[in-house]
Amino acid sequence: MADGNGAQLLEVVLDAWDRNQQILLNLLRAVPEGGLAARALAGSPTVAEMFTHLHHERMVSVLEEAPECAGTVPQREWLDERDAARIEAMLVESARRVREAVQGRVEAGRQTELDYDHPLLLLQLLLFHDAYHHGQIKLALKAAGLALDDQFAGPLTWGVWRRRR
Ligand code: NI
């Protein structure tokens, strides 16, 4: 168990971000055949659109808050990308940029550019945002008759949070 110095606490928070990312990729990889097209309700975004929205939000946030770590923000926010490998590549890039942005700002003792009282809050907001849509994605799959079994999904989500290194 780590003590409470700042560098160690930053590591814990960045580890939480990495776990959150692992959980999101686990969900993406668990989407059954045809599941990227699922919607919770008529007019709701597809599962694919929700995943690309998460990527877009992360990329815009880095551009606005720590532009030194920014990449190319996608032109479309809710892209209906049906190639899971391409979605995964997007999410890997944006997770890395968020991580670098927050770590860089904290270590430099620099504030974010637009919002937030502390750079860690940017990471916390994005973690919350990912989790918010995680639930929506599972609901959309359920509505389409493609529900993930709890026995299967539990270890891919809650198990990742609880695991001790
Ligand atoms: Ni959203």
Side-chain angles (χ1 to χ4, degrees), residues 17-51:
W17 176 250
D18 294 341
R19 289 176 195 242
N20 171 74
Q21 167 73 356
Q22 185 61 60
I23 287 164
L24 190 66
L25 295 182
N26 286 349
L27 177 65
L28 175 62
R29 293 168 189 161
V31 170
E33 186 73 36
L36 288 174
R39 307 172 190 271
L41 294 167
S44 299
T46 64
V47 167
E49 287 169 337
M50 286 192 273
F51 276 116

Side-chain angles (χ1 to χ4, degrees), residues 115-132:
D115 293 319
Y116 309 103
D117 285 325
H118 190 284
L120 287 180
L121 291 171
L122 163 62
L123 192 141
Q124 298 294 335
L125 178 139
L126 290 171
L127 201 153
F128 175 86
H129 186 240
D130 280 9
Y132 172 87

Side-chain angles (χ1 to χ4, degrees), residues 53 78 129 132-133:
H53 162 66
W78 300 87
H129 186 240
Y132 172 87
H133 286 288

Side-chain angles (χ1 to χ4, degrees), residues 34-105:
L36 288 174
R39 307 172 190 271
L41 294 167
S44 299
T46 64
V47 167
E49 287 169 337
M50 286 192 273
F51 276 116
T52 61
H53 162 66
L54 293 178
H55 171 67
H56 183 272
E57 186 65 31
R58 292 165 167 192
M59 295 297 279
V60 168
S61 294
V62 172
L63 179 65
E64 290 177 346
E65 303 294 348
E68 68 278 9
C69 294
T72 306
V73 175
Q75 290 192 331
R76 282 201 49 204
E77 179 170 1
W78 300 87
L79 185 67
D80 204 11
E81 172 63 63
R82 298 297 172 86
D83 181 341
R86 290 177 70 169
I87 296 174
E88 179 159 340
M90 291 179 203
L91 293 170
V92 166
E93 181 195 354
S94 56
R96 175 178 60 78
R97 290 189 186 279
V98 168
R99 195 185 204 286
E100 289 172 358
V102 170
Q103 182 173 17
R105 290 273 165 157

